[in-house]
Amino acid sequence: MMIITQKITSLACEIHDGMFRKDEELTSSQRDLAVRRMPSLLEYLSYNCNFMGILAGPLCSYKDYITFIEGRSYHMTQAGENGKEETQYERTEPSPNTAVIQKLLICGLSLLFHLTICTTLPVEYNIDEHFQATASWPTKIIYLYISLLAARPKYYFAWTLADAINNAAGFGFRGYDKNGAARWDLISNLRIQQIEMSTSFKMFLDNWNIQTALWLKRVCYERTSFSPTIQTFILSAIWHGVYPGYYLTFLTGVLMTLAARAMRNNFRHYFIEPSQLKLFYDVITWIVTQVAISYTVVPFVLLSIKPSFMFYSSWYYCLHILGILVLLLLPVKQTQRRKNTHENIQLSQSKKFDEGENSLGQNSFSTTNNVCNQNQEIASRHSSLKQ
């Protein structure tokens, strides 16, 4: 049901963007996925209920799916001589065998890691009373990171297997890279290396559950003008379910995201040069990011509200307090999206003002013409009476 809900709302947004909004009002991603016609009943049911993604996904856009079904995913476009006309030609259909085998190997390793390591390093041990009373702070931090690291392979297994199933059916081809190798990551849901090496909260979120993140961006973040980050995280919590741990995780995630953005905007430019300083910055931000992510998602794993508060209270809510202090003390720079939104509002207001002036000018011009015509009629009547 979660996948079907995503597909229905995603298709509604694509149709709305394609049929009811002007191109200049859309972002580049919205323009690329806009659907210019209503799908037929067969196309609608096929998109929502196809066997490749009915259980575990991953979510895909309707436009990408229908392009695959119609066999146009291997068509290449080339600009004409005048630079405007585009000529389509079909390239040889690449084989997905190599990509499928690689992803199945990742699935096997993830499953093995989950069955052997995860059981020996349970997340619940973070709230064990004896552990909390005897462990030092470095031990608590290290175990928090390792236990959450051991909890991730089950997601790696499920999402990678779903991606491999779609690739085996021929769906998921994105094109060719600069070396001419086929890319089968159109609907991939995660990038494991980028997740484990993330040096910022945003980098982690951009590479975790990718298709759901794109769906949230499409249906919420790009369509709201007031606190889009907060509204997007709340929608994500509601979509995941009713467990209190989900809401604690995503509300904490809002705070961590905003605080991390403020820190990055205010300090990162001081550590770009030289390369040794940049490496030092990357190491520190990697440590901070991994600890913050682990701290944030503990309630997501524990699910219940009592153990979640037990964990946060054992850490004295230190990262919550630190995040609030960062937002209070550091200046928050306006993001590019907010700048663009403000500029669009000013542009629309200026257009309305110009239209109002034009209509006012036309009205005054027509009023003047009416007065002149009335004066001419009166003068002609006087002249006829004198004759």
Side-chain angles (χ1 to χ4, degrees):
M1 285 300 295
M2 296 173 72
I3 294 296
I4 294 178
T5 302
Q6 283 182 306
K7 288 185 175 181
I8 293 174
T9 53
S10 177
L11 176 57
C13 291
E14 292 177 52
I15 294 173
H16 178 266
D17 292 340
M19 300 182 67
F20 302 105
R21 298 180 70 184
K22 298 179 181 179
D23 285 346
E24 57 268 18
E25 298 176 351
L26 305 177
T27 64
S28 58
S29 59
Q30 289 174 330
R31 199 177 300 117
D32 292 340
L33 296 177
V35 176
R36 305 297 178 180
R37 65 173 180 84
M38 289 290 291
S40 65
L41 179 61
L42 179 61
E43 292 171 335
Y44 176 78
L45 294 176
S46 174
Y47 171 64
N48 284 301
C49 303
N50 70 84
F51 73 95
M52 299 177 294
I54 187 65
L55 295 179
L59 173 70
C60 63
S61 70
Y62 172 79
K63 192 169 186 179
D64 290 335
Y65 175 76
I66 206 65
T67 299
F68 159 69
I69 291 297
E70 294 175 351
R72 293 184 285 110
S73 55
Y74 307 110
H75 289 180
M76 307 294 291
T77 58
Q78 185 176 16
E81 295 180 356
N82 58 1
K84 296 182 180 179
E85 297 179 358
E86 290 187 349
T87 305
Q88 286 194 350
Y89 63 95
E90 187 173 355
R91 292 190 62 167
T92 305
E93 181 177 341
S95 172
N97 293 342
T98 302
V100 172
I101 292 173
Q102 290 175 349
K103 292 175 182 180
L104 289 178
L105 289 175
I106 294 174
C107 287
L109 293 174
S110 299
L111 183 61
L112 179 64
F113 192 89
H114 173 68
L115 294 177
T116 56
I117 305 298
C118 185
T119 54
T120 60
L121 297 169
V123 178
E124 290 77 10
Y125 192 64
N126 284 284
I127 58 173
D128 181 78
E129 293 182 359
H130 177 72
F131 176 76
Q132 291 179 352
T134 59
S136 61
W137 271 105
T139 304
K140 289 183 179 180
I141 294 172
I142 293 172
Y143 185 82
L144 174 67
Y145 168 68
I146 295 177
S147 62
L148 269 299
L149 176 66
R152 289 200 280 266
K154 63 181 179 182
Y155 299 100
Y156 296 166
F157 168 77
W159 288 335
T160 306
L161 180 60
D163 192 16
I165 291 172
N166 282 270
N167 291 166
F171 186 32
F173 176 68
R174 185 188 288 273
Y176 297 88
D177 60 16
K178 60 183 179 181
N179 298 320
R183 298 177 56 188
W184 288 90
D185 59 348
L186 179 64
I187 55 173
S188 295
N189 231 356
L190 76 165
R191 303 183 187 97
I192 297 176
Q193 182 178 356
Q194 285 84 342
I195 288 172
E196 300 302 341
M197 300 303 295
S198 296
T199 57
S200 68
F201 217 87
K202 181 182 184 301
M203 183 178 176
F204 186 97
L205 296 178
D206 286 345
N207 293 285
W208 175 270
N209 204 356
I210 298 171
Q211 301 306 320
T212 296
L214 293 175
W215 170 73
L216 289 168
K217 179 182 178 182
R218 190 182 309 145
V219 303
C220 183
Y221 188 85
E222 294 182 336
R223 297 173 187 276
T224 180
S225 57
F226 175 74
S227 300
T229 301
I230 297 176
Q231 293 193 43
T232 303
F233 271 89
I234 292 175
L235 174 61
S236 182
I238 295 172
W239 175 79
H240 274 85
V242 297
Y243 285 106
Y246 295 157
Y247 294 86
L248 285 176
T249 289
F250 287 105
L251 290 176
T252 304
V254 173
L255 178 61
M256 297 300 162
T257 300
L258 297 177
R261 184 184 299 167
M263 291 286 291
R264 188 176 181 86
N265 290 338
N266 283 278
F267 295 107
R268 184 177 183 273
H269 55 277
Y270 295 116
F271 296 91
I272 296 178
E273 296 292 343
S275 58
Q276 295 85 354
L277 192 60
K278 175 69 165 57
L279 177 61
F280 172 77
Y281 174 82
D282 288 340
V283 171
I284 296 300
T285 52
W286 176 81
I287 295 173
V288 173
T289 298
Q290 297 302 323
V291 173
I293 288 290
S294 302
Y295 176 90
T296 301
V297 301
V298 166
F300 192 95
V301 179
L302 298 178
L303 297 178
S304 300
I305 193 166
K306 183 178 179 180
S308 299
F309 278 118
M310 284 177 60
F311 169 75
Y312 280 147
S313 62
S314 69
W315 278 61
Y316 304 104
Y317 300 91
C318 58
L319 294 190
H320 287 87
I321 296 172
L322 184 61
I324 293 172
L325 290 177
V326 166
L327 293 178
L328 291 177
L329 299 178
L330 292 181
V332 179
K333 295 183 180 179
Q334 193 177 36
T335 62
Q336 186 64 36
R337 180 186 180 276
R338 290 171 61 187
K339 289 180 182 178
N340 294 337
T341 304
H342 183 66
E343 290 174 357
N344 291 336
I345 293 174
Q346 288 183 333
L347 182 61
S348 61
Q349 289 177 347
S350 63
K351 285 182 178 180
K352 290 179 181 179
F353 181 74
D354 292 339
E355 291 174 357
E357 283 189 336
N358 291 335
S359 61
L360 181 60
Q362 291 176 356
N363 291 336
S364 60
F365 180 73
S366 60
T367 304
T368 305
N369 286 340
N370 291 335
V371 172
C372 293
N373 292 334
Q374 290 177 359
N375 291 335
Q376 288 178 357
E377 289 179 2
I378 294 172
S380 62
R381 287 177 184 175
H382 280 294
S383 60
S384 61
L385 288 175
K386 288 180 181 179
Q387 292 176 356

